[in-house]
Amino acid sequence: MTTQLSHADTAEQDWLLESIRLATANVTAGGGPFGAVIIKDGKVIATGTNQVTPTLDPTAHAEVVAIRAACQELGDFKLTGCVLVSSCEPCPLCLSAALWARVDRVVFAADRDDAAAAGFDDREFYDLFARPRETWPVSVQRVSTGEDNAPFNAWVASTDRVDY
């Protein structure tokens, strides 16, 4: 796959270089080669580096770490008005997190093929979601309990819920 390149303005170049600097420094610190920054109103409000191996958390990707930090910084679970800048193309997990966080844009430097060449092949996950579930390496199936919708019914009936 070839990723379409676009020209970045000076600020985006600086943000991308910062994410790359964070990623490179993280390798020296024992983490993975990924870094991310969250930008709001032209300023870095949060950063993240890959912490999967130091924290033994498979979800501690740089983008997720940065999104968590930005949400804490802003006191909100929505990052509307923010840009996620990553040293590498976000994997499906990180793209999903960015969508749930409602960031306005995602900008990245290296792509999934660059990551694969370094031993981080997320392409299999992109491909996996296009295949029927019965062909997946992990079983994913629905089992009905008769009470499947109870949590949703409680949610809909709640008068003090915070919609997201």
Side-chain angles (χ1 to χ4, degrees), residues 28-40:
T28 303
F34 302 95
V37 296
I38 303 285
I39 308 301
K40 184 167 179 90

Side-chain angles (χ1 to χ4, degrees), residues 2-151:
T2 303
T3 304
Q4 183 178 5
L5 296 176
S6 65
H7 288 299
D9 63 25
T10 302
E12 285 178 342
Q13 284 288 331
D14 291 344
W15 302 335
L16 284 164
L17 289 170
E18 176 62 10
S19 71
I20 292 167
R21 186 195 67 71
L22 287 166
T24 305
N26 196 50
V27 171
T28 303
F34 302 95
V37 296
I38 303 285
I39 308 301
K40 184 167 179 90
D41 299 325
K43 295 180 176 54
V44 174
I45 61 163
T47 64
T49 56
N50 183 284
Q51 296 297 306
V52 170
T53 55
T55 63
L56 305 178
D57 178 355
T59 68
H61 292 199
E63 297 89 344
V64 173
V65 171
I67 287 169
R68 289 173 180 160
C71 288
Q72 291 300 306
E73 177 67 24
L74 295 178
D76 197 345
F77 57 85
K78 293 181 183 174
L79 297 179
T80 306
C82 295
V83 179
L84 169 61
V85 181
S86 181
S87 63
C88 186
E89 181 178 5
C91 72
L93 167 77
C94 296
L95 284 174
S96 296
L99 289 168
W100 276 110
R102 311 296 196 286
V103 299
D104 288 2
R105 291 178 54 224
V106 176
V107 180
F108 61 89
D111 69 13
R112 65 183 81 169
D113 295 320
D114 299 320
F120 296 91
D121 196 350
D122 295 333
R123 295 175 301 191
E124 68 181 275
F125 297 118
Y126 286 99
D127 296 341
L128 176 71
F129 291 120
R131 296 190 343 233
R133 282 191 182 170
E134 58 271 7
T135 68
W136 289 13
V138 61
S139 176
V140 178
Q141 62 187 35
R142 181 176 182 185
V143 177
S144 183
T145 65
E147 296 294 324
D148 300 351
N149 287 322

